[in-house]
């Protein structure tokens, strides 16, 4: 009775949370059937690799934010130039003159990422600082500028070479692009000092300058979507660049946006889809027609969400490369992945390449461990959809399109052996169902006891699990 009550309470809470999210900011299903189909296909991929890379990697500091004159924990300046804002910004922008990632070898990245089980990639083409990791003709603040030593390298157009390398390995391609540009004089107009992350003049008072900025943004996005092969996702960051009426006063960082910064997303999306039919547009945090999926950051929702979503998260602690950064253990990453997939999301996991152009060795080690797990359990991850009860203590559920159900047991840190029995409450196997552990051949014995499913794991198997961290029991058919 008690458990029925708690299940009821739980469902009521889930209902309330998802309902609240939907009524406040309803998810808008795109009109274009090709976009809808592409989102559905993207939801099969589950696991993407994110890369934040720019000149900032040379100092091992936060991406872009140290030039933002806001007093936030993550904007703090460090190092010899930090005491004076103007000197600091100049030194930061001068990083362009020393950026020379001579070890950049995206084939190596793509092979390692594929082996780890990643299926799509998102690369920072341009972050808030405005430095272009692609050959834009609208600015000289870019990797291919004669000011940047790397420009003579045959791989200097990083955006191009990296996306080609990943595409060749079968990856879908996402391009991260920051709507705000803290280098561009029609965003931070040098006439005024910048005050915060926002445009530093009122676009209503200076409509021509704002128009210039809109054109600049449109043109750069058009370059990316027409010169860089097939792009599947346009991942737009910097949600404060948004129409005033879209500001959600319940969200702290949005409350303080001083101006209307309408960048004309309808125009950008239409152009994007002329070049890239069915393009998925992710206008992050600006709920509406151009946020084709949502992107909780550094967090996993407590409950499944009723719309397409992706958790973006750092593999270490910073998005940017920081020497000696601590990387999450593979077991943690795998548990997060399983939890996210069971709740219907995708997992976009970030690695920040170093100033010389490679991943930290810890990232390669993690990828190997994740890959080993994926090779055994990928079938319970890719192409699956969530199924209630989603998660039961340390067991997560997913469902294959042919209706098989996977019960994925998340092992505790010191749990090296499988338990003697596994008890499942919320999923009822069909009478003739078979249950098998992924990575093994034999069918397991199971029975129903007081309405719960009890699976017996033979002693030999307990001691020889097919992989580390999480074990997946496949139920051939449910009631
Ligand atoms: C945060 C960071 C930003 C980063 C983004 C990735 O918003 O401030 O720099 O690009 O996360 O999701």
């Amino acid at each position: 009775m008690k458990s029925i009550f708690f299940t009821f309470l739980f469902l009521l809470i889930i209902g309330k949370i998802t309902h609240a999210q939907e009524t406040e900011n309803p998810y808008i299903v795109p009109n274009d059937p090709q976009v809808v189909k592409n989102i559905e296909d993207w939801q099969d991929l589950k696991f993407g690799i994110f890369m934040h890379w720019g000149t900032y990697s040379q100092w091992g500091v936060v991406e872009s934010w140290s030039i933002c004159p806001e007093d936030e924990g993550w904007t703090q300046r460090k190092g010899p130039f930090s005491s004076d804002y103007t000197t600091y910004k100049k030194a930061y922008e001068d990083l362009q003159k020393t950026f020379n990632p001579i070890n950049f070898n995206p084939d190596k990245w793509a092979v390692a990422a594929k082996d780890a089980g990643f299926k799509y990639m998102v690369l920072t083409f341009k972050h808030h600082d405005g430095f272009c990791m692609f050959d834009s003709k609208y600015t000289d603040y870019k990797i291919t500028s004669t000011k940047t030593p790397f420009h003579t390298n045959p791989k200097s157009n990083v955006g191009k070479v990296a996306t080609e390398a990943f595409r060749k390995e079968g990856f879908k391609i996402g391009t991260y692009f920051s709507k705000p540009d803290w280098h561009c004089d029609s965003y931070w107009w040098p006439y005024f000092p910048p005050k915060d992350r926002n445009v530093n003049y009122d676009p209503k008072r200076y409509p021509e300058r704002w128009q210039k900025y809109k054109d600049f943004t449109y043109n750069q996005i058009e370059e990316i979507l027409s010169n860089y092969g097939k792009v599947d996702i346009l991942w737009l960051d910097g949600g404060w660049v948004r129409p005033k009426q879209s500001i959600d006063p319940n969200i702290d960082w949005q409350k303080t946006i001083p101006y209307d910064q309408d960048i004309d997303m309808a125009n950008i999306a239409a152009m994007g889809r002329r070049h890239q039919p069915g393009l998925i547009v992710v206008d992050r945090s600006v709920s509406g027609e151009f946020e084709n999926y949502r992107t909780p950051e550094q967090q996993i929702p407590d409950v499944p969400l009723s719309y397409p979503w992706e958790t973006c998260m750092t593999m270490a602690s910073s998005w940017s490369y920081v020497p000696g950064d601590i990387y999450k253990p593979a077991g943690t990453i795998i548990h997060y992945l399983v939890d996210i997939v069971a709740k219907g999301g995708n997992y976009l996991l970030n690695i920040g390449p170093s100033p010389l152009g490679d991943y930290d060795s810890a990232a390669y080690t993690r990828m190997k461990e994740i890959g080993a797990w994926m090779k055994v359990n990928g079938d319970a991850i890719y192409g699956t959809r969530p199924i209630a009860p989603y998660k039961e203590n340390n067991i997560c559920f997913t469902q294959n399109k042919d209706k098989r159900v996977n019960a994925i047991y998340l092992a505790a840190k010191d749990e090296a052996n499988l338990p003697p029995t596994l008890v499942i409450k919320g999923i009822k196997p069909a009478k003739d169902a078979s249950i098998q552990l992924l990575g093994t051949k034999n069918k397991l014995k199971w029975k129903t006891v007081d309405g719960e499913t009890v699976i017996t794991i033979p002693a030999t198997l307990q001691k020889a699990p097919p992989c580390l961290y999480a074990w997946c029991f496949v139920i051939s058919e449910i009631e």
Side-chain angles (χ1 to χ4, degrees):
M1 193 61 205
K2 214 162 150 191
S3 81
I4 295 178
F5 172 75
F6 280 114
T7 312
F8 176 73
L9 198 70
F10 176 68
L11 292 175
L12 200 74
I13 294 169
I14 289 188
K16 273 221 156 30
I17 293 171
T18 41
H19 184 69
Q21 274 156 348
E22 275 155 24
T23 45
E24 276 161 27
N25 284 314
Y27 173 77
I28 310 281
V29 178
N31 289 325
D32 181 338
Q34 188 61 45
V35 177
V36 175
K37 159 119 192 6
N38 288 352
I39 296 168
E40 184 77 26
D41 292 348
W42 166 83
Q43 287 185 299
D44 287 344
L45 306 179
K46 306 300 182 197
F47 198 31
I49 180 168
F50 204 2
M51 282 167 275
H52 275 66
W53 199 26
T55 60
Y56 45 77
S57 63
Q58 294 171 90
W59 281 354
V61 296
V62 62
E63 65 291 343
S64 301
W65 283 98
S66 66
I67 57 166
C68 177
E70 280 182 39
D71 197 8
E72 303 284 358
W74 66 91
T75 56
Q76 259 141 49
R77 301 190 292 269
K78 295 183 192 107
F81 312 103
S82 55
S83 57
D84 167 70
Y85 177 79
T86 315
T87 315
Y88 185 89
K89 178 145 193 273
K90 165 99 181 42
Y92 181 98
E93 298 199 326
D94 275 348
L95 284 170
Q96 164 179 30
K97 299 181 185 158
T98 48
F99 193 34
N100 198 13
I102 48 174
N103 296 340
F104 172 53
N105 178 3
D107 292 334
K108 179 182 173 195
W109 295 355
V111 168
K114 182 182 182 179
D115 194 53
F118 290 110
K119 299 288 185 193
Y120 64 104
M121 68 94 97
V122 180
L123 173 72
T124 50
F125 268 60
K126 182 177 92 170
H127 205 262
H128 311 328
D129 63 13
F131 187 77
C132 293
M133 294 295 278
F134 68 103
D135 186 27
S136 174
K137 67 173 185 229
Y138 300 101
T139 180
D140 199 34
Y141 193 47
K142 61 177 175 182
I143 184 90
T144 49
S145 157
T146 51
K147 290 183 194 150
T148 309
F150 197 56
H151 84 276
T152 53
N153 191 295
K155 294 181 192 156
S156 67
N157 191 352
V158 164
K160 189 164 213 105
V161 184
T163 51
E164 273 168 5
F166 278 82
R167 212 179 279 115
K168 205 174 71 203
E169 293 298 334
F171 280 67
K172 296 268 186 233
I173 303 298
T175 55
Y176 171 111
F177 184 88
S178 166
K179 291 181 293 175
D181 183 321
W182 296 335
H183 183 81
C184 181
D185 64 7
S186 50
Y187 195 76
W188 278 1
W189 180 12
Y191 180 80
F192 296 120
K195 294 187 250 331
D196 52 29
R197 70 187 72 181
N198 293 285
V199 60
N200 72 342
Y201 60 90
D202 183 351
K204 274 218 172 50
R205 278 183 81 151
Y206 303 97
E208 278 162 28
R209 191 162 284 269
W210 183 250
Q211 187 57 48
K212 237 177 102 193
Y213 188 64
K214 278 164 67 176
D215 294 343
F216 169 75
T217 305
Y218 179 99
N219 288 335
Q220 284 200 324
I221 294 176
E222 182 159 43
E223 285 182 311
I224 295 171
L225 296 179
S226 48
N227 299 335
Y228 291 82
K230 176 99 182 81
V231 174
D232 304 283
I233 305 161
L234 175 64
W235 212 95
L236 295 173
D237 201 12
W240 54 95
V241 173
R242 67 197 293 146
K244 188 128 205 180
Q245 74 271 13
S246 74
I247 293 174
D248 183 343
N250 298 315
I251 299 178
D252 265 355
W253 67 266
Q254 292 190 24
K255 257 196 313 234
T256 56
I257 301 173
Y259 306 121
D260 188 309
Q261 301 180 56
D262 191 344
I263 200 79
D264 199 351
M265 274 309 301
N267 202 26
I268 289 174
M271 170 274 288
R273 288 177 180 147
R274 278 197 300 279
H275 295 294
Q276 305 283 344
L279 177 73
I280 298 175
V281 178
V282 183
D283 191 13
R284 284 192 86 193
S285 84
V286 189
S287 314
E289 217 184 320
F290 308 109
E291 192 181 29
N292 296 159
Y293 66 72
R294 292 194 176 158
T295 56
E297 185 176 299
Q298 300 282 37
Q299 51 167 307
I300 302 174
D302 295 333
V303 294
L305 306 174
S306 61
Y307 42 76
W309 62 278
E310 165 196 84
T311 280
C312 55
M313 193 186 277
T314 52
M315 190 189 270
S317 67
S318 171
W319 297 102
S320 53
Y321 173 82
V322 173
D325 206 351
I326 307 292
Y327 284 69
K328 294 179 178 67
T332 304
I333 295 170
I334 288 162
H335 286 194
Y336 286 167
L337 172 71
V338 172
D339 191 16
I340 289 168
V341 171
K343 290 171 182 160
N346 277 19
Y347 191 22
L348 182 64
L349 186 62
N350 180 82
I351 298 173
S354 75
L356 284 179
D358 205 353
Y359 301 153
D360 194 290
S361 64
Y364 286 108
T365 314
R366 299 302 182 273
M367 284 197 282
K368 269 215 156 353
E369 294 170 285
I370 298 165
W373 187 87
M374 282 292 211
K375 278 171 200 94
V376 175
N377 300 290
D379 196 44
I381 299 293
Y382 305 118
T384 61
R385 289 295 178 268
I387 176 166
Y390 314 108
K391 195 172 181 181
E392 210 174 73
N393 304 316
N394 62 336
I395 304 173
C396 291
F397 301 98
T398 65
Q399 184 166 37
N400 294 89
K401 292 195 178 132
D402 64 8
K403 302 296 174 207
R404 271 173 300 147
V405 170
N406 307 290
I408 310 174
Y409 177 95
L410 307 178
K413 264 205 188 70
D414 50 1
E415 200 174 1
N417 295 337
L418 283 153
T421 55
L422 189 81
V423 180
I424 298 172
K425 298 189 179 76
I427 295 273
K428 308 264 174 264
K431 225 170 78 240
D432 301 325
S434 66
I435 300 184
Q436 207 172 324
L437 182 65
L438 275 187
T440 66
K441 294 217 168 62
N442 298 332
K443 303 211 157 93
L444 298 172
K445 289 208 176 101
W446 67 274
K447 58 185 178 205
T448 307
V449 181
D450 296 335
E452 299 178 352
T453 305
V454 181
I455 307 168
T456 307
I457 300 151
T460 44
L461 188 54
Q462 288 172 38
K463 286 191 222 107
C467 59
L468 301 169
Y469 312 124
W471 302 303
C472 177
F473 298 83
V474 188
I475 304 166
S476 64
E477 211 186 325
I478 56 169
E479 264 179 14

